[in-house]
Amino acid sequence: LGDISQDGKVDIGDFTLWGDDFGQTGQGLRSDINFDGRVDIGDFTIWGDDFGSTSGVSTSVSAVPEPGGLALLGIGMAGLLAAVLKRRLR
């Protein structure tokens, strides 16, 4: 989505185009990424979320912990708890 130049990558060149168009209003603006008729911070946010993408497809996702990471955290906490309890029982 943030590939304003349509060269297959979301990069600083797209940011430059967005900056050139910032503040413009109307239909069909190249930097109006969210199609609301304005080139504004909303379009910048989309560009920023997609920065570094090479497909032109949005790469923004919500951060969700992986189950394996949560399992390791649980095992570590259980081990820590066991060590503390063992020390108190002595």
Side-chain angles (χ1 to χ4, degrees), residues 2 7 9 14 18 23 25 30 32 46 48-49 52 58 63 68 71 73:
D7 64 354
K9 56 188 183 257
D14 300 303
W18 172 84
T25 59
R30 67 180 174 189
D32 183 17
I46 295 170
D49 289 344
S58 179
L73 179 62

Side-chain angles (χ1 to χ4, degrees), residues 31-49:
S31 298
D32 183 17
I33 301 170
N34 60 7
F35 307 109
D36 66 352
R38 299 181 311 240
V39 178
D40 57 12
I41 196 70
D43 304 299
F44 171 80
T45 301
I46 295 170
W47 170 84
D49 289 344

Side-chain angles (χ1 to χ4, degrees), residues 1-3 7-12 14 47 50-54 56-57:
L1 288 173
D3 185 17
D7 64 354
K9 56 188 183 257
V10 180
D11 58 12
I12 199 69
D14 300 303
W47 170 84
D50 293 345
F51 184 76
S53 171
T54 56
V57 176

